[in-house]
């Protein structure tokens, strides 16, 4: 787990070099409408890899082998409500993924999982720089959730292989933290990349209970975000819009007496 934290720190440092030196820009600072509950949302869809770290994993110190030999594809969707001019956010996520591993004695397993969670997100750039208009941003997040998993395991025995299976009937608890980098192409669309470390409160993701150490897994992803300014329909002549029949920026002429 220590190595995974080091990888996460390295990711943060690399992201730091990608952020432009100047995060300020000339912009009209007109009066902004206070965001309500139905304002400032986003939907993110992403694909990636979930990687296993536990009793049967042997590539914990080798990133390439970890991703190719002890990982599986994942897909996820995230709904986020932003607060305080997008400095903070509250997210809900649905994640489907899986992983596999084979120990040195040829004991192997494959697992799939479904996770649902809630998290708090912190836009570090917007928090540090109040007048940030850069399209590049860095987020830190952490949360808790539950997951269901299914494990198939093959253990070599004399004369063949013994197969076993675990299918959880009740959700297991998980907590996690991570970092994300985004680049907004425009006001509606953004590109994201994330890495997170997830600590399962369970030691049977590989169907092996050993040393009373809980298993954990990582999630690396790339995705696309769609920003929703508001779920409410805006009136064509709502508050702050020019009145019908009047040219914007011009005052009505007074009638001479």
């Amino acid at each position: 787990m220590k190595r995974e934290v080091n990888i996460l720190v390295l990711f943060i440092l690399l992201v730091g070099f990608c952020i432009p030196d100047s995060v300020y820009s000339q912009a009209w600072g007109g009066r902004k409408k206070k965001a309500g509950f139905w304002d400032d949302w986003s939907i993110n869809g992403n694909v990636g890899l979930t990687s296993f770290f536990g009793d049967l994993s042997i590539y914990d110190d080798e990133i390439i082998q970890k991703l190719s030999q002890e990982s599986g594809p994942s897909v996820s969707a995230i709904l986020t409500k932003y607060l305080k001019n997008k400095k903070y956010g509250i997210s809900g996520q649905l994640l489907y993924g899986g992983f596999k591993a084979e120990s040195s004695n040829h004991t192997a397993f494959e697992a799939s999982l479904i996770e649902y969670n809630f998290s708090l997100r912190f836009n570090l750039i917007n928090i540090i720089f109040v007048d940030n208009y850069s399209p590049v941003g860095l987020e830190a997040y952490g949360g808790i959730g539950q997951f269901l998993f299914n494990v198939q395991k093959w253990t070599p025995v004399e004369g063949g292989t013994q197969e076993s299976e675990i299918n959880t009937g009740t959700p297991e608890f998980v907590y996690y933290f991570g970092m994300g980098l985004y680049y907004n192409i425009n006001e509606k669309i953004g590109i994201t990349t994330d890495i997170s470390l997830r600590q399962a409160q369970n030691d049977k993701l590989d169907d092996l209970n050993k040393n009373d150490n809980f298993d954990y897994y990582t999630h690396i992803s790339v995705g696309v975000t769609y920003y929703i300014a508001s779920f409410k329909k805006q009136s064509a002549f709502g508050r702050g819009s020019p009145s019908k029949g009047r040219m914007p920026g011009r005052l009505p002429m007074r009638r001479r007496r």
Side-chain angles (χ1 to χ4, degrees):
M1 185 172 184
K2 180 179 179 181
R3 178 172 179 81
E4 292 311 299
V5 173
N6 291 337
I7 294 174
L8 190 59
V9 172
L10 178 61
F11 175 79
I12 297 171
L13 294 176
L14 291 175
V15 166
F17 288 109
C18 298
I19 297 177
D21 293 335
S22 176
V23 292
Y24 295 98
S25 175
Q26 295 291 334
W28 176 68
R31 180 178 298 177
K32 297 181 180 179
K33 178 184 176 182
K34 185 177 180 180
F37 176 79
W38 298 109
D39 303 324
D40 292 340
W41 291 75
S42 73
I43 299 175
N44 176 270
N46 59 76
V47 295
L49 293 172
T50 44
S51 304
F52 173 73
F53 293 82
D55 298 316
L56 291 183
S57 61
I58 60 177
Y59 295 114
D60 293 355
D61 296 326
E62 302 174 35
I63 298 177
I64 301 301
Q65 287 82 355
K66 171 63 68 176
L67 296 178
S68 61
Q69 301 296 325
E70 297 181 348
S71 303
S74 65
V75 60
S76 149
I78 304 172
L79 177 66
T80 301
K81 161 61 181 173
Y82 296 104
L83 306 169
K84 300 292 184 180
N85 294 326
K86 296 187 177 181
K87 292 181 180 180
Y88 311 99
I90 302 175
S91 297
Q93 180 183 29
L94 181 63
L95 167 67
Y96 175 81
F99 34 74
K100 58 186 177 180
E102 182 176 347
S103 67
S104 56
N105 66 353
H106 302 293
T107 299
F109 83 97
E110 292 183 359
S112 61
L113 62 87
I114 297 178
E115 177 190 312
Y116 50 92
N117 61 65
F118 293 94
S119 65
L120 295 178
R121 310 182 77 90
F122 304 88
N123 191 316
L124 303 181
I125 304 302
N126 285 356
I127 292 174
I128 297 173
F129 303 99
V130 179
D131 297 323
N132 171 37
Y133 297 100
S134 170
V136 180
L138 178 66
E139 289 187 334
Y141 56 88
I144 58 175
Q146 292 182 316
F147 69 99
L148 297 167
F149 66 94
N150 175 270
V151 182
Q152 287 185 308
K153 183 180 177 182
W154 297 270
T155 305
V157 295
E158 185 177 354
T161 301
Q162 179 180 350
E163 183 176 350
S164 60
E165 182 176 2
I166 291 181
N167 193 346
T168 55
T170 57
E172 301 289 341
F173 181 77
V174 63
Y175 65 88
Y176 66 98
F177 64 92
M179 301 292 296
L181 174 68
Y182 67 82
Y183 176 80
N184 291 334
I185 300 175
N186 52 44
E187 294 182 354
K188 293 290 187 180
I189 302 296
I191 300 174
T192 62
T193 178
D194 285 81
I195 179 171
S196 62
L197 177 66
R198 302 170 122 82
Q199 176 70 72
Q201 300 301 290
N202 187 293
D203 190 31
K204 293 185 178 180
L205 290 179
D206 52 3
D207 192 12
L208 178 62
N209 194 342
K210 183 180 178 181
N211 300 327
D212 294 326
N213 293 324
F214 290 148
D215 298 327
Y216 62 99
Y217 54 99
T218 59
H219 182 225
I220 301 174
S221 68
V222 293
V224 177
T225 296
Y226 178 74
Y227 296 100
I228 303 171
S230 179
F231 283 105
K232 295 180 180 179
K233 292 184 178 180
Q234 300 294 330
S235 173
F237 304 104
R239 185 178 180 183
S241 301
S243 300
K244 187 175 181 180
R246 182 184 300 172
M247 293 294 292
R250 297 184 62 181
L251 296 175
M253 296 182 63
R254 293 184 177 180
R255 183 178 298 175
R256 293 183 178 179
R257 295 181 178 178

